[in-house]
Amino acid sequence: MSTEPTGELPSRTVLLAAPRSFCAGVERAIHAVERLLDAPGRRAPVYVRKQIVHNTHVVAGLAARGAVFVEELDAVPEGATVVFSAHGVSPEVREQARERGLTVVDATCPLVTKVHSEARRFAARGDTVVLIGHAGHEEVEGTLGEAPQAMLLVETAEQAAGLEVADPSRVSYLTQTTLAVDETAGVVRALRGRFPLLQSPPGDDICYATTNRQLAVEAVADRADLVLVVGSANSSNSVRMVEVVRRGGTQAHLIDDASGIDPAWLAGARVIGLSAGASAPPELVAGVIEALGAHGAVTVEELTTTVEDVNFAPPAPVRDPS
């Protein structure tokens, strides 16, 4: 691995983007698993379908405490307790859980549930519903499952411009909650050019946390020589943050934790922007700052673009009785 030149280590500013790290939906999902694991007298395993959130450290930490992560419900014993991840599931998965007699704790983010509700409503009124999102993502699979006969997935503006539907006068769109705001706007413009009567969701489907973190990291990038985003490679919102910075012309890298820093990236970087995706634990950010300190004196500044005060109630099965 490349290293910086020997001699006196440089002094740097680490410019922290705020908001960063956990959002309300992620905290709600993680706490749901933690409450089940901490339940007095618990003897049976707590199963979680898929990763509860897309972060390797979160999943490893919960697994170390006894959570059992499975890909599909056929790996869960009949009658056991299973947690649905923050990304949501399709009605088909819910039916499978009922058939197996599973006790379900649904940790789907309420903002994903909102998109599911819109999909059902738009399909029920006879629309072709275009879902803007990334194929294969768990959130997309769950949303498509709400009305598979009426929904089409579009990933790019080029796909949108060439889309064919049965009735061009009855088309609506929804989006995955973790997309890049600027790219999604381009896809919507292409859809509107193709279908002038296109109907929008009543409010933005890209969630507040995704939008806020993109705006914050953009603000940091305007002053930085390099931006580091803490998050796992399968975290859509984290990957989008890196892409947004790069489109603005600033070098950016996604790292799972401090061990992912390549010292070669630091050469010539006197201001390093630092943020974290909505599923990345805050302590990983502190670890990156500590690691950067090994490469020279570090002054930490925080740039706040907005303050988040969103909270979601826990899933009903793990709420305090009071």
Side-chain angles (χ1 to χ4, degrees):
M1 181 179 290
S2 300
T3 58
E4 293 185 304
T6 58
E8 185 177 352
L9 293 174
S11 175
R12 295 188 174 91
T13 297
V14 174
L15 192 58
L16 277 174
R20 63 183 176 275
S21 196
F22 284 169
C23 65
V26 164
E27 289 183 333
R28 176 179 183 268
I30 295 171
H31 290 165
V33 179
E34 290 176 336
R35 290 185 184 201
L36 290 170
L37 292 172
D38 294 339
R42 179 183 69 84
R43 295 178 182 176
V46 174
Y47 293 90
V48 184
R49 182 184 181 273
K50 307 291 187 182
Q51 292 188 346
I52 186 67
V53 297
H54 284 161
N55 185 269
T56 57
H57 290 272
V58 169
V59 171
L62 292 173
R65 294 179 56 183
V68 179
F69 291 89
V70 301
E71 284 299 302
E72 299 299 344
L73 294 184
D74 56 9
V76 180
E78 292 189 7
T81 295
V82 64
V83 183
F84 290 159
S85 79
H87 308 105
V89 300
S90 68
E92 180 182 5
V93 173
R94 296 182 188 278
E95 179 58 30
Q96 290 172 354
R98 283 191 290 270
E99 291 174 353
R100 296 182 62 80
L102 303 180
T103 297
V104 171
V105 177
D106 188 358
T108 302
C109 175
L111 301 181
V112 174
T113 300
K114 162 188 173 288
V115 180
H116 285 206
S117 298
E118 291 168 346
R120 294 192 299 270
R121 181 161 57 87
F122 289 178
R125 72 187 185 190
D127 289 6
T128 295
V129 185
V130 179
L131 176 62
I132 304 171
H134 297 293
H137 191 280
E138 289 156 36
E139 180 187 330
V140 165
E141 291 178 347
T143 303
L144 288 173
E146 291 290 348
Q149 75 289 346
M151 298 190 73
L152 298 172
L153 178 64
V154 163
E155 297 188 79
T156 66
E158 291 73 20
Q159 290 176 349
L163 197 62
E164 297 287 346
V165 301
D167 184 352
S169 70
R170 300 190 65 84
V171 182
S172 55
Y173 79 89
L174 303 171
T175 78
Q176 184 179 333
T177 62
T178 55
L179 300 179
V181 175
D182 55 351
E183 282 194 329
T184 304
V187 179
V188 172
R189 282 194 299 271
L191 280 174
R192 203 168 294 284
R194 185 79 175 88
F195 308 111
L197 298 179
L198 181 73
Q199 296 293 303
S200 308
D204 286 342
D205 286 339
I206 297 177
C207 78
Y208 78 94
T210 295
T211 301
N212 288 348
R213 279 152 189 72
Q214 288 176 22
L215 293 174
V217 81
E218 282 182 307
V220 161
D222 285 342
R223 293 175 48 186
D225 305 303
L226 164 71
V227 173
L228 300 176
V229 175
V230 181
S232 293
N234 63 339
S235 167
S236 176
N237 78 88
S238 301
V239 172
R240 303 290 86 74
M241 290 166 68
V242 172
E243 292 173 349
V244 163
V245 172
R246 288 175 176 171
R247 281 198 293 274
T250 301
Q251 180 189 177
H253 299 280
L254 180 68
I255 55 175
D256 227 334
D257 52 38
S259 68
I261 300 171
D262 184 342
W265 299 341
L266 309 181
R270 293 298 174 262
V271 178
I272 299 175
L274 179 59
S275 189
S279 51
E283 57 268 25
L284 298 181
V285 175
V288 170
I289 294 172
E290 181 179 355
L292 290 173
H295 297 276
V298 168
T299 301
V300 179
E301 297 180 18
E302 188 170 55
L303 179 59
T304 301
T305 53
T306 190
V307 176
E308 294 178 348
D309 57 2
V310 178
N311 290 288
F312 295 133
V318 295
R319 289 179 193 167
D320 294 329
S322 58

